[in-house]
Every structure is written in C-alpha cells, then in structure tokens.
Amino acid sequence: MEAFCVRHTDLPGTSKLFSDLVYHYDRVSKFYLSSPYDFDSYLTAARKIDYPESRRAAMVEALREINANHPLLGVLARPGAVAVVTGQQVGLYGGPCYTFFKALTAVSLARQLSAAGQSAVPVFWLATEDHDFEEIDHAWVYEAPMRPAQLRSTGSARPQQTVGSIEIGSVSSDLPALLAGFPHGAEIAAAVAKAYVPGRTYGQAFRDLVKEFLGSHEVLFLDPLSPKIREIAAPFLADAASKSAELSAAVYARSQELVAAGYHAQVHLETKESPLFFQLDNGRRMPVKGSPSAVRPEQLSPNALLRPVMQDFLLPTAVMIGGPAEVAYLAQSAVLYQRLLERQPAIIPRAAFTLLDSRAGKLMDRYKLDLADILHPEQAFQQLIAERLVPPAINAAFDKAAQQTHSALDGLRNAMESHAFDPTLVASMSKSRAKIEYQLTKSRGKLAREIMRREQRAFDDAAYLQNLIYPRKHLQERFYSMLPFLAQHGPGLIGRIYENIHVNCPDHHVLPL
C-alpha cells in the first residue's frame, strides 16, 4: 500500500472553522492574518518582526538553562533570526503521537525558511503552566496483537498546581511487559525509565523523552516556569494586567463575531473575566480576583488565549504551528495581538498522520477499505466487513432480485395510475414497495452477519484495524502515545515521518510503514 491523503472534512470531529481555514481561506480571512499554506506569508511575517536585540540576548541566555550550549542558540542569537514555534502539554510519556508531529513540522519549516535565506530555529514551548493534572497523568499504548492498554502515574499534585512543577511519585511498571512483544520494546522502555524517574518533575521528564526520540531533528525547548523567562515576560504581563478589562471585552466581541459567522468560540471568556491567572509561590495557579494590576507581574500567568501572545513577545516568532484547537484559539487571540504586540505570526496547522503497519495495509486491501470506512462505531464497521465477505454470486443474486422487484413494482404502479384508480391505492402500493425493499435489504444484512459470525478471523481483523486506527472512537494520533509505534518500528520511525511532512499540504496523511 502506498501513502495517501484524506481530507480533514472526511474525519470525525473536524470543526467548520478549521476546515474552512485549510480549504476555504476566503471564508475566514477576517479572523486570520494570512492563508496557512502561503510560504511567502511566512517570509512577510518574518520581515515585520521588530524584536529588540536586548530581549534576544536575554532570551538566548535564559534558554541556555535547559538547552545548554545548543548550536541552535547561536542561530537564534543572530540579528534577524526568527523562531518557528509549536508546543504541547507535558503529558505522560510525551503525550499523544501528535506531539512529535508538531515538533517535526516545526523542524521542517524552520529548515525551509533557512534554505530560503531567512535564518530560523524551531522552538518547542513546554506547556508546564497548565494546571489540569488529570489530563496528563496517563497514556495509552497498545500491546501485541493490537490491544489498547492505559498506563497511569502518580504525582505530588496540589489542587490547581501547574503540571510542569509536579514531582513524579510513581509510574506504571507494566510498560516493559506491554512492549515486550515488539522488536524494539526493551530499548524504548529503557529510554522511558531513564526519563521518568520518581522525584523529577513531569516537565523535565517530558522534555528529556521528547528530545531523546527526536534525535537529530532538534528543537530548542522553552519552559515558561523558568524564573528567567518569567522575568523577561514581566513587562508584557504588566501591560496585559493594565488592559485586562479592555482585552476581555475585545475577546468577548470577537467570540460573538465568530458565532455570528457560523463558527465556534474555542475559549469562553466573559467580559468581566481576566485573561490572567495568579501564579502562587507553591506552584498553584488560581484565577485572578479583582484587578490583576494589583499583582506583581512575575506572579501572573496567561490563559489559553493570551499565552501565544506572550510567547511571541518573548520570541521573534514568524510562524506558529498548532493543532485544530490551537488554530481555533488564534481566531480569538488575534484581537489580543492587535492590542498588545501589534504584530502576529503566520499560522500553519501541524502535520497529521495515521500510521499503518503491514498487517493493517494488507487488511485494508483485502476488504477494499479506505480510512473513512474504519472511522465508524464498532458495530457499523463490523457490518461493513461482513458485507464485504458475502460471496460475489450471492451479491449478484440479491442485486438481480432487487432490480427485478423494482421493475415489476414500477410496472404495477404505472398500470394503476393509468387507469385512474383511487390515489390512496397508489399510495398504499408505495408503502408496500418500501416494505418489500426493506425486507430484501434486511435479508442481505442477516446473511452478512451470519457469515461474519462464522468467520472469527474477520472479527479479529475488524478489531485489529479499529484498535490501531480508531481506538475507543478516537483518531490514532490523538489517542496513542508514540511509544508502541517506536517499539514496533524502531527509532528510525521519526525520520520516516519527517520525510513525509509536507507543510504545503492541508490534508491528513496515511502512512504505511
């Protein structure tokens, strides 16, 4: 099977805002700076950046804290160099697969910009300030032969504590056994054990594991909990605090504008709510009560809409890479960019993938399935498989019976109409026709299910495909960790994915391995 693409509109859960951004930019142009697939717009955004060299020097120095003397810091230090930024919550074991798709998209685009004469570095924003521990304390993997398994961890979390500061208490000991059936299982489990050591923070463990697996596809990591980073961000946060009421009103108005245009507002913010949180010294993050201008700026933290604006105050960001939800945030954040930064980076959705192993590819060929066929509830998908198992001769007989029935009933109805019988008789005939056609379809379905019942192999095949591609009614990239894929296909998988990233393509990629 060769790699192929699927439109996002053929995938479940795609929002109208996202689909219009990637396929009908003219419909959403009032909410975004530029089309996401216009390379010239990235260069234009880079040229518009007015980034103080004093802030550049301070940021390079602050980034050394977790990036040591990485060569990319030398590139970022050059006047005129820009950043291509992405990021993700610091979820257990690197979070979902798309964490790596984001990072690799940033690497690819930064290299393309540099090749075009615009020095650029990829930067990965570690979303350590989020405070929902239940979102990041677990991960899903699969074990042979393709059964989902959830792994959990514990941590010394206080209510509302920023997840990046939480110390790891324990992690599940089941991972080595779950991955043991794969060629590289021991290697991947060892890398996880090295990063996820009790006593380290979730932010540290996430960063080290992602860095390890990215290998030569390197990024600079930025942790907003770093005191040096917070110090540089203080003037921005002070400005945001002084304009809090104005910013909230602007976001509310933009949200209403989006809804009026038939879209959704990703973040709900009332006019009197502040876009800022209060960051306590003990790591807790609380909503600001009263005026945020009364709080020292070093103790403030941005909400989801203000965060990208602060990111682009800290960095000379030319392009931001995000998933569908983050792209939706930015339709609202645009009004904050206007009031606080007077510039905005170009936006591009991250690369999106479904990864297929050789068995899945063969099964899709055998049953003549495409990706959309598999993205259905379990029973509906099993019925589809069952219908593909009905012998051709029986299918032909059903088709012939249906055709003959239709022809005979059409003739009967025409004869009745030509003799001007009571119209209710014709209507009754139409109802009878529908019942006859229904019974034919029902009999066909019963036969398919009976064949499926006798074919245990078909049941197993259906379960394998859905557990890999649409586990628990989720897209693969949003459900599974990258760990089982690396265990099955080896660390070289990262390079294979990178080779198939096309930043000018808006579609979802299906990649056979």
Side-chain angles (χ1 to χ4, degrees):
M1 175 180 283
E2 298 294 327
F4 62 94
C5 293
V6 176
R7 288 173 65 89
H8 286 281
T9 48
D10 293 332
L11 303 178
T14 299
S15 73
K16 182 182 177 184
L17 182 61
F18 182 74
S19 64
D20 278 356
L21 176 66
V22 297
Y23 297 120
H24 303 285
Y25 175 71
D26 58 300
R27 299 176 183 174
V28 297
S29 58
K30 65 187 296 185
F31 302 120
Y32 293 96
L33 176 70
S34 60
S35 170
Y37 301 104
D38 178 5
F39 189 83
D40 287 341
S41 73
Y42 314 153
L43 298 172
T44 299
R47 287 192 293 268
K48 289 183 177 179
I49 295 173
D50 183 11
Y51 188 65
E53 291 307 311
S54 59
R55 191 182 306 155
R56 184 185 298 275
M59 280 299 298
V60 168
E61 188 58 33
L63 290 171
R64 291 191 194 282
E65 188 174 53
I66 59 174
N67 295 282
N69 290 316
H70 197 290
L72 288 175
L73 287 174
V75 179
L76 183 60
R78 300 172 190 163
V82 300
V84 176
V85 185
T86 192
Q88 180 58 29
Q89 288 177 303
V90 290
L92 183 66
Y93 302 152
C97 284
Y98 64 71
T99 294
F100 292 88
F101 304 160
K102 285 180 171 181
L104 293 172
T105 306
V107 172
S108 178
L109 185 53
R111 290 178 180 175
Q112 288 184 48
L113 286 171
S114 296
Q118 172 59 65
S119 294
V121 297
V123 179
F124 193 100
W125 181 285
L126 300 163
T128 52
E129 291 185 298
D130 290 355
H131 54 265
D132 191 342
F133 182 57
E134 292 182 356
E135 283 191 0
I136 65 100
D137 70 349
H138 62 280
W140 284 91
V141 300
Y142 58 79
E143 59 180 325
M146 201 53 64
R147 290 188 296 265
Q150 188 184 62
L151 299 170
R152 302 198 71 91
S153 62
T154 65
S156 56
R158 294 179 290 272
Q160 298 294 108
Q161 183 176 352
T162 53
V163 295
S165 66
I166 297 172
E167 291 186 354
I168 299 168
S170 65
V171 292
S172 172
S173 60
D174 296 335
L175 183 63
L178 290 171
L179 300 184
F182 300 118
H184 304 272
E187 177 185 356
I188 300 306
V192 171
K194 181 180 177 182
Y196 282 83
V197 176
R200 302 191 79 207
T201 67
Y202 280 86
Q204 292 169 333
F206 175 96
R207 181 190 73 228
D208 286 356
L209 191 69
V210 171
K211 179 181 179 181
E212 173 73 17
F213 290 149
L214 285 177
S216 62
H217 305 89
E218 297 178 325
V219 299
L220 292 176
F221 290 96
L222 189 157
D223 185 348
L225 289 179
S226 161
K228 290 183 178 179
I229 297 293
R230 297 184 67 78
E231 181 180 348
I232 299 169
F236 170 86
L237 292 168
D239 187 24
S242 70
K243 299 175 181 175
S244 179
E246 173 191 345
L247 299 179
S248 296
V251 169
Y252 182 81
R254 170 50 63 92
S255 300
Q256 296 296 103
E257 191 179 4
L258 281 163
V259 172
Y263 300 113
H264 73 290
Q266 185 73 22
V267 177
H268 180 72
L269 187 72
E270 294 291 344
T271 54
K272 294 185 179 180
E273 286 184 77
S274 172
L276 292 156
F277 286 89
F278 181 34
Q279 186 79 51
L280 301 176
D281 292 337
N282 63 4
R284 295 181 67 193
R285 190 171 183 245
M286 307 294 291
V288 171
K289 302 296 184 181
S291 173
S293 59
V295 181
R296 288 190 298 109
E298 292 85 354
Q299 293 181 304
L300 292 172
S301 175
N303 75 350
L305 297 179
L306 189 59
R307 187 208 65 74
V309 192
M310 186 179 87
Q311 160 197 291
D312 301 330
F313 168 86
L314 291 169
L315 293 164
T317 310
V319 185
M320 181 177 172
I321 293 164
E326 291 158 316
V327 166
Y329 289 151
L330 292 169
Q332 294 173 277
S333 296
V335 296
L336 304 181
Y337 276 97
Q338 293 166 6
R339 287 161 176 78
L340 295 171
L341 206 56
E342 297 182 347
R343 65 174 172 88
Q344 187 176 357
I347 303 164
I348 181 171
R350 63 167 173 81
F353 287 94
T354 292
L355 307 177
L356 301 181
D357 59 19
S358 59
R359 179 180 175 185
K362 290 175 182 176
L363 291 177
M364 290 177 70
D365 286 340
R366 178 187 302 166
Y367 295 109
K368 298 180 174 58
L369 300 168
D370 59 30
L371 187 71
D373 292 328
I374 302 169
L375 304 179
H376 283 92
E378 182 180 15
Q379 289 186 342
F381 179 56
Q382 288 179 351
Q383 177 68 25
L384 178 62
I385 291 286
E387 291 170 358
R388 303 290 166 87
L389 292 172
V390 176
I394 296 179
N395 266 326
F398 268 108
D399 290 340
K400 184 177 181 180
Q403 183 179 9
Q404 291 174 338
T405 301
H406 294 166
S407 178
L409 292 174
D410 283 343
L412 182 57
R413 184 190 62 195
N414 292 337
M416 293 173 68
E417 289 177 341
S418 68
H419 287 79
F421 285 117
D422 185 342
T424 61
L425 292 177
V426 178
S428 176
M429 182 64 202
S430 296
K431 290 182 180 179
S432 298
R433 173 182 183 150
K435 290 179 181 179
I436 294 170
E437 291 176 343
Y438 169 77
Q439 290 299 328
L440 270 175
T441 302
K442 185 177 179 180
S443 296
R444 195 173 201 164
K446 282 184 175 180
L447 174 63
R449 287 191 293 275
E450 172 61 17
I451 293 173
M452 184 77 166
R453 187 186 65 79
R454 293 163 55 185
E455 289 279 351
Q456 182 61 46
R457 177 183 174 185
F459 266 113
D460 293 342
D461 290 345
Y464 189 95
L465 285 170
Q466 283 212 306
N467 284 341
L468 174 63
I469 294 170
Y470 196 47
R472 309 290 174 95
K473 299 180 182 179
H474 292 83
L475 293 180
Q476 177 196 95
E477 62 176 13
R478 296 181 171 277
F479 185 81
Y480 284 126
S481 158
M482 185 60 79
L483 300 186
F485 297 97
L486 292 169
Q488 184 177 6
H489 304 286
L493 171 62
I494 295 295
R496 179 78 182 277
I497 294 170
Y498 178 79
E499 291 168 0
N500 284 273
I501 286 178
H502 307 288
V503 296
N504 61 341
C505 176
D507 293 336
H508 184 98
H509 304 279
V510 181
L511 180 61
L513 302 172

